[in-house]
Amino acid sequence: MKGAHFLVAFVLALSSSSAFAFDPSPLQDFCVANNDPKDGVFVNGKFCRDPMLATANDFSFSGLNIPRNTSNQVGSNVTLLNVDKIPGLNTLGISIARIDFAPYGGLNPPHIHPRATEILVVLEGTLYVGFVTSNPNRLITKVLNAGDVFVFPIGLIHFQFNIGNTNAVAIAGLSSQNPGVITIANAVFGSNPPINPDVLAKAFQLDKNVVNYLEKQFWVNNQ
């Protein structure tokens, strides 16, 4: 019985901790980020500015309509508007991103957002998108055209790939003021300092020379 009680307690504790794994709901109308702590009160995320000092600029951003430069090795560019760009997002648990893709081959490489679910809408072009579930790693994919929407669950590896012959543009909403991003290839082969090649050679079943070669490459950050 003691074992059963412990298991129930453990499950309840785990459920409770999971419930607080996302951005907490705000306890006030808003909490504008304040980088000077002496004039603010810390709630969560960043210090809050006196609400009486908030302005419209704290809640706005101009220029998301402007196409971004995609002339890099992966052919994409992500413009993320999180709490660092829009201070009024502080404690609100949401952010937005524009993703530009070069014609056929523009790729937002496999990555995860450790703190956010993503919902993506295609504005222009045709994208092949997908995510991989936790073990046993089922791949779920779909081809999206302008006006189509797709959801990437929190913490799962996902990607977007332009299969059209023209530029593609998408807008993504993310369920965190600071969703974070871990690009898989960059993290594994481009970490600083590098991961021991013996670890990667065994994990990926590769020759160690191949791992050494990959770790010497320049891994593009398209953020």
Side-chain angles (χ1 to χ4, degrees), residues 153-165:
I154 185 171
L156 297 186
I157 294 174
H158 60 284
F159 60 86
Q160 299 104 23
F161 182 69
N162 186 3
I163 59 173
N165 294 318

Side-chain angles (χ1 to χ4, degrees), residues 80-165:
L80 173 65
L81 302 183
N82 60 10
V83 67
D84 293 327
K85 297 291 181 63
I86 305 178
L89 288 177
N90 196 35
T91 77
L92 298 184
I94 194 169
S95 56
I96 191 171
R98 173 189 171 119
I99 313 170
D100 289 87
F101 300 85
Y104 193 88
L107 171 68
N108 192 13
H111 62 283
I112 69 170
H113 299 295
R115 294 179 291 277
T117 289
E118 175 181 342
I119 183 166
L120 178 125
V121 57
V122 178
L123 301 184
E124 301 174 18
T126 302
L127 297 177
Y128 168 66
V129 307
F131 64 86
V132 180
T133 68
S134 54
N135 294 347
N137 305 132
R138 180 183 172 206
L139 174 64
I140 297 177
T141 65
K142 190 173 179 63
V143 173
L144 305 181
N145 295 297
D148 291 341
V149 175
F150 198 83
V151 174
F152 305 97
I154 185 171
L156 297 186
I157 294 174
H158 60 284
F159 60 86
Q160 299 104 23
F161 182 69
N162 186 3
I163 59 173
N165 294 318

Side-chain angles (χ1 to χ4, degrees), residues 17-25 44 93 114-117 153-155 175-176:
S17 64
S18 297
F20 292 104
F22 303 90
D23 292 355
S25 297
N44 60 335
R115 294 179 291 277
T117 289
I154 185 171
S175 61
S176 171

Side-chain angles (χ1 to χ4, degrees), residues 32 34-43 46-50:
V32 176
N34 181 16
N35 291 322
D36 189 352
K38 74 176 187 296
D39 293 327
V41 177
F42 182 77
V43 178
K46 289 180 178 287
F47 284 91
C48 300
R49 185 180 303 157
D50 183 340

Side-chain angles (χ1 to χ4, degrees), residues 69 72 74-79 98-101 107-109 111 160 181 183 186 219-223:
N69 184 1
N72 54 50
V74 295
S76 70
N77 191 313
V78 178
T79 304
R98 173 189 171 119
I99 313 170
D100 289 87
F101 300 85
L107 171 68
N108 192 13
H111 62 283
Q160 299 104 23
V181 62
T183 306
N186 300 40
W219 294 98
V220 173
N221 178 8
N222 68 335
Q223 302 294 310

